C-alpha cells in the first residue's frame, strides 16, 4: 500500500513538485506538468506525452533529450485535463508543431483531443496518437480498442527520436503509427494496488492464484490462473505474445524485437531478472534477435505486484530509433553532447485568478445564486457517496470514480462561488465551474461533466432570467454534446443511459408547462430508474468493457452518480424557486 502521503487529494501535485525539485537538470515545472529544462532546436516537432499519476517513471520521468519534450500529468490514475495538456504543449512548442501521445484510455482520448483542438485554434499544428498495445483488452479485430500499457515507452521513443532528427510533424506521426502497429504487451498480477489514503487494494487475487491480462489503472485481470513459477510465468508471457504477430511478420524466426520486461510496482528487480533469463531463452529458441532489452520498472501501477512483457517488432528504421540516445531522469541510453540550458524561455506558472467577469443582468445574477446552491448540493451528495461510487467502479474498472467526482465537484463549486462573488451571471458561473471540474477531476468523467456544465452555461447566458424551457434546452444540448464527445449511446452502460432519458423527460415536462422544480422532479425520477437499469447491461465502452461479465448486476458508476446528482439538484431548486 501507499504509506507516505499527506492529503490524498494533494498526492499527485506534491509528487510532481518533489520530482521537479530532484531533477532540475532535465525538467522544469509548468502549469499541468513538466517540459525539458534544456534547449530544443527551433522548428523541431515537440512530442508531448501524458497520463495519470501513479505510473512513474511514466510520464514525467521520460522527459528529456531523445524522448519527450514535455509531459502533462493528471491526478492519480486520471488523465490530465485539456487545459493542462494545452499548457504543457504550448510551453514545449518551438515552431514545429506538437504530437500528443498517450495510452488508449477514454479520458485521455477525450482530453488530448480537446487539447489538440485548442492548439489548432491558437495556430499551433497538432496531431494525436494513442498507444494501444495490451492484447488482453481486445482481440486483433478490435485492436483500436486496446489499452496502452508498457508499450508506451518504445512508441514514445520512436516518435521522439524521429523528432530529434528534424523530421516534420506528419512524418513523426507516421513513425508513431508504425511503432504502435508493431508493439504488443501482455501482463500478469499477483495483487492489486492501493491508492493513497485507501485502506484496501483495488482488487485482490486469491491465494496461490494470479490475475491474467492486467490494466495499469488497477483494473482486475481478464481471468485467473494458478500461481506459476518464474519460468512458467515467462513461458506464458512469451507464448501469448508470439501468437499474435504484426500483419507483415509471418514468422518470428529471423525477426528483431525490442523487449521490455516491466515491473508494475512491487516485484523486485531480482525477481524480474529471474523471469527475464527464461524470456530471453524462449525468444532465442523462437529465432528472435533481442535488441537492447529493458528490464525494470518503466510503467508502473503504484504498488501492484505484477509484470508485463512488451515486444516491439523492429525493422531497420525502428531499430535505429530504438537504439538512438536518450537522456531523461528515468531513462538513459547512449551518449549525447552536453546540453544547453533553456535560458530564453520564461518560466510558465499558473495563471493568476481571473477577477474579471462579463457583464450580467440582475436576473441572471439572481439565477447564478440558484446555480451555486445546486452546485453546493452536487458537492455534498458526491462527498456522501464517494466511497460507494468507488466501490461500484472497482467491480469492473479502476475504482477512482468517487475520487474523481469529489475532486471535480469540489473544484467546480469553489470556482462557481468565486465567480458569483464577483457578480457573474448564471452562464459565467457555470462555465467557470465547467473548466474547474474538467481541470481538477481529469479522466473521462472530468471531460464529460465539463461538457455538461459548459453546455448549460452557454444555454443560460448572462443576460436573461433562465426559464424552465431554457434550462431544458441546455440539458438537451448537454446530452447531445456528451454523446458526440464520448461516442457512447444508450445501451453502452455509461452515464449516457441516464443523461438521455433525463433530458428527454425534462424537455417533455417543461413542454407541458410544468414549473422547473416539478419538471426536474419528474425527470430525476426517470434518471433514478434508468441508473438502476444499467445493472442489467454489459459495458460496450471504457475501462469496464474488458470485464463486461463482472459488471452484470452492478449499475454503472457514472450513471449512478448522475442520478444522485439530478435528485440533489431538485432539492436545491425547491429551496430557491
Amino acid at each position: 500500500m501507499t504509506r507516505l502521503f499527506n492529503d490524498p487529494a494533494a498526492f499527485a501535485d506534491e509528487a510532481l513538485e518533489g520530482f521537479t525539485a530532484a531533477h532540475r537538470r532535465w525538467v522544469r515545472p509548468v502549469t499541468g506538468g513538466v517540459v525539458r529544462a534544456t534547449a530544443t532546436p527551433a522548428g523541431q516537432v515537440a512530442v508531448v506525452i501524458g497520463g495519470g499519476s501513479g505510473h512513474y517513471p511514466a510520464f514525467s520521468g521520460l522527459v528529456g533529450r531523445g524522448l519527450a519534450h514535455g509531459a502533462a500529468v493528471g491526478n492519480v490514475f486520471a488523465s490530465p485535463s485539456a487545459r493542462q495538456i494545452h499548457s504543457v504543449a504550448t510551453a514545449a512548442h518551438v515552431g514545429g508543431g506538437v504530437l500528443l501521445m498517450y495510452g488508449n484510455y477514454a479520458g485521455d482520448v477525450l482530453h488530448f483531443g480537446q487539447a489538440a483542438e485548442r492548439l489548432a485554434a491558437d495556430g499551433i499544428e497538432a496531431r494525436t496518437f494513442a498507444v494501444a498495445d495490451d492484447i488482453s483488452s481486445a482481440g486483433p479485430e478490435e485492436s483500436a480498442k486496446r489499452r496502452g500499457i508498457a508499450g508506451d515507452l518504445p512508441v514514445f521513443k520512436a516518435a521522439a527520436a524521429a523528432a530529434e532528427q528534424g523530421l516534420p510533424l506528419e512524418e513523426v506521426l507516421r513513425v508513431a503509427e508504425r511503432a504502435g502497429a508493431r508493439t504488443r504487451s501482455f501482463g500478469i498480477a499477483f495483487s492489486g494496488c492501493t491508492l493513497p489514503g485507501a485502506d484496501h487494494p483495488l482488487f485482490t487475487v486469491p491465494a496461490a492464484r494470479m490475475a491474467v491480462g492486467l490494466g495499469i489503472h488497477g483494473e482486475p485481470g481478464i481471468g485467473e490462473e494458478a500461481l506459476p513459477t518464474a519460468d512458467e510465468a515467462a513461458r506464458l508471457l512469451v507464448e501469448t505474445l508470439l501468437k499474435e504477430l504484426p500483419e507483415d511478420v509471418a514468422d518470428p524466426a529471423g525477426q528483431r524485437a525490442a523487449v521490455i520486461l516491466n515491473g508494475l510496482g512491487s516485484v523486485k528487480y531480482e525477481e524480474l531478472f529471474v523471469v527475464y533469463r527464461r524470456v530471453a531463452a524462449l525468444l532465442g529458441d523462437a529465432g528472435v534477435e533481442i535488441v537492447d532489452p529493458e528490464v525494470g520498472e518503466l510503467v508502473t501501477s503504484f504498488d501492484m505486484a505484477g509484470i508485463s512483457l512488451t515486444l516491439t517488432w523492429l525493422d531497420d528504421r525502428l531499430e535505429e530509433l530504438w537504439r538512438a540516445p536518450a537522456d531523461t531522469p528515468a531513462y538513459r541510453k547512449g551518449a549525447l553532447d552536453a546540453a544547453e540550458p533553456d535560458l530564453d524561455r520564461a518560466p510558465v506558472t499558473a495563471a493568476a485568478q481571473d477577477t474579471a467577469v462579463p457583464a450580467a443582468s440582475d436576473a441572471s445574477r439572481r439565477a447564478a445564486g440558484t446555480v451555486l446552491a445546486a452546485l453546493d448540493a452536487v458537492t455534498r451528495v458526491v462527498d456522501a457517496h464517494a466511497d460507494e461510487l468507488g466501490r461500484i467502479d472497482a467491480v469492473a474498472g479502476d475504482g477512482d470514480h468517487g475520487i474523481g467526482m469529489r475532486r471535480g465537484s469540489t473544484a467546480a463549486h469553489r470556482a462557481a462561488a468565486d465567480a458569483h462573488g464577483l457578480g457573474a451571471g448564471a452562464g459565467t458561473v457555470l462555465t467557470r465551474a465547467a473548466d474547474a471540474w474538467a481541470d481538477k477531476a481529469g479522466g473521462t468523467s472530468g471531460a464529460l461533466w465539463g461538457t455538461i456544465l459548459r453546455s448549460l452555461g452557454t444555454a443560460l447566458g448572462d443576460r436573461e432570467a433562465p426559464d424552465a424551457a431554457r434550462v431544458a434546452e441546455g440539458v438537451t444540448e448537454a446530452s447531445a454534446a456528451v454523446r458526440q464527445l464520448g461516442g457512447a449511446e444508450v445501451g453502452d452502460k455509461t452515464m449516457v443511459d441516464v443523461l438521455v432519458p433525463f433530458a428527454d423527460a425534462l424537455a417533455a415536462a417543461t413542454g407541458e408547462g410544468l414549473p422547473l422544480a416539478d419538471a426536474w422532479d419528474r425527470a430525476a425520477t426517470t434518471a433514478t430508474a434508468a441508473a438502476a437499469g444499467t445493472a442489467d447491461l454489459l459495458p460496450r465502452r471504457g475501462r469496464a468493457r474488458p470485464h463486461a461479465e463482472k459488471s452484470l448486476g452492478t449499475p454503472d458508476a457514472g450513471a449512478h452518480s448522475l442520478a444522485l446528482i439530478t435528485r440533489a439538484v431538485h432539492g436545491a431548486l425547491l429551496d430557491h424557486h
Side-chain angles (χ1 to χ4, degrees):
M1 62 182 296
T2 307
R3 298 173 178 84
L4 295 174
F5 55 87
N6 297 306
D7 177 359
F11 183 88
D13 290 340
E14 292 181 350
L16 187 62
E17 182 182 351
F19 166 77
T20 56
H23 296 294
R24 296 194 186 280
R25 180 161 76 86
W26 291 276
V27 299
R28 61 186 178 93
V30 298
T31 300
V34 297
V35 296
R36 292 183 187 179
T38 53
T40 299
Q44 187 175 111
V45 173
V47 174
V48 173
I49 63 175
S53 297
H55 305 302
Y56 190 84
F59 295 88
S60 54
L62 303 179
V63 174
R65 293 188 300 158
L67 244 165
H69 296 73
V73 183
N75 279 301
V76 176
F77 290 178
S79 66
S81 69
R83 185 158 58 177
Q84 289 175 295
I85 300 162
H86 176 268
S87 169
V88 173
T90 301
H93 180 244
V94 289
V98 178
L99 176 59
L100 302 173
M101 302 185 71
Y102 46 91
N104 191 32
Y105 292 87
D108 295 284
V109 172
L110 294 179
H111 286 293
F112 277 90
Q114 289 176 328
E117 293 173 358
R118 296 185 187 184
L119 290 167
D122 293 343
I124 298 175
E125 191 175 10
R127 300 290 184 272
T128 65
F129 184 77
V131 182
D133 56 301
D134 175 22
I135 68 170
S136 67
S137 55
E141 70 284 356
E142 294 185 306
S143 59
K145 295 181 179 180
R146 288 175 167 172
R147 303 177 290 207
I149 50 176
D152 285 354
L153 173 60
V155 182
F156 292 168
K157 188 175 186 306
E164 294 280 3
Q165 294 176 348
L167 297 183
L169 180 58
E170 292 300 331
E171 291 189 35
V172 174
L173 174 60
R174 280 195 289 273
V175 167
E177 292 169 342
R178 176 68 170 169
R182 286 177 150 249
T183 299
R184 309 282 189 275
S185 297
F186 181 70
I188 57 177
F190 316 111
S191 69
C193 57
T194 304
L195 301 184
D199 59 4
H200 59 276
L202 291 177
F203 72 88
T204 58
V205 181
R209 304 284 291 176
M210 69 173 176
V212 177
L214 57 90
I216 59 168
H217 294 97
E219 304 96 328
I222 304 300
E224 286 183 5
E225 294 186 13
L227 189 66
T229 65
D231 283 359
E232 290 168 343
R235 183 172 295 278
L236 173 65
L237 295 170
V238 171
E239 290 183 349
T240 301
L241 290 180
L242 291 184
K243 288 177 183 176
E244 188 186 316
L245 302 173
E247 291 183 0
D248 55 351
V249 176
D251 189 319
Q255 299 294 326
R256 292 161 290 165
V259 178
I260 298 173
L261 183 63
N262 177 59
L264 283 150
S266 64
V267 174
K268 305 306 295 180
Y269 271 68
E270 286 86 348
E271 295 175 273
L272 292 173
F273 292 137
V274 171
V275 175
Y276 184 74
R277 53 176 274 286
R278 189 59 180 156
V279 166
L282 291 168
L283 289 173
D285 291 344
V288 178
E289 179 186 345
I290 297 173
V291 178
D292 283 5
E294 297 286 349
V295 180
E297 293 185 347
L298 295 158
V299 180
T300 60
S301 184
F302 265 115
D303 60 338
M304 182 186 288
I307 59 176
S308 64
L309 182 65
T310 297
L311 300 181
T312 297
W313 298 94
L314 303 173
D315 55 22
D316 290 345
R317 178 69 172 130
L318 290 178
E319 180 174 349
E320 174 193 2
L321 299 171
W322 175 242
R323 289 186 182 273
D327 183 27
T328 78
Y331 185 87
R332 299 165 204 171
K333 177 180 286 189
L336 289 163
D337 295 335
E340 293 294 329
D342 191 357
L343 300 176
D344 297 330
R345 300 174 70 90
V348 181
T349 57
Q353 181 180 359
D354 190 352
T355 56
V357 295
S361 67
D362 290 342
S364 184
R365 284 196 292 267
R366 286 193 296 271
T370 302
V371 170
L372 183 60
L375 287 169
D376 178 61
V378 170
T379 301
R380 285 186 282 109
V381 76
V382 167
D383 189 64
H385 292 85
D387 290 344
E388 175 194 9
L389 294 173
R391 177 189 59 78
I392 293 172
D393 189 37
V395 170
D398 57 11
D400 70 345
H401 185 68
I403 296 172
M405 290 293 288
R406 177 182 278 156
R407 282 193 300 251
S409 60
T410 299
H413 179 250
R414 186 179 299 118
D418 290 342
H420 182 252
L422 295 170
T428 295
V429 166
L430 279 165
T431 54
R432 295 281 176 90
D435 287 342
W437 192 313
D439 201 33
K440 292 300 183 183
T444 306
S445 67
L448 298 182
W449 273 100
T451 297
I452 290 171
L453 296 181
R454 180 167 288 279
S455 296
L456 281 169
T458 300
L460 267 56
D462 290 329
R463 303 307 305 169
E464 300 177 10
D467 56 16
R470 186 176 293 273
V471 172
E473 177 185 345
V475 173
T476 297
E477 291 173 359
S479 174
V482 165
R483 280 176 286 164
Q484 180 179 10
L485 179 63
E489 295 294 343
V490 172
D492 286 345
K493 194 165 187 171
T494 70
M495 71 182 305
V496 167
D497 289 295
V498 170
L499 183 56
V500 169
F502 173 76
D504 292 346
L506 185 63
T510 56
E512 295 173 13
L514 288 180
L516 179 58
D518 294 340
W520 196 283
D521 182 30
R522 182 190 295 180
T525 300
T526 299
T528 300
T534 62
D536 300 324
L537 299 176
L538 289 172
R540 297 199 294 246
R541 304 187 71 86
R543 294 180 188 170
R545 183 185 54 80
H547 310 281
E549 297 296 334
K550 291 183 178 181
S551 76
L552 272 180
T554 302
D556 176 71
H560 185 55
S561 62
L562 174 55
L564 290 172
I565 286 170
T566 62
R567 180 50 64 193
V569 169
H570 175 248
L573 293 175
L574 286 176
D575 293 339
H576 288 77
H577 72 283

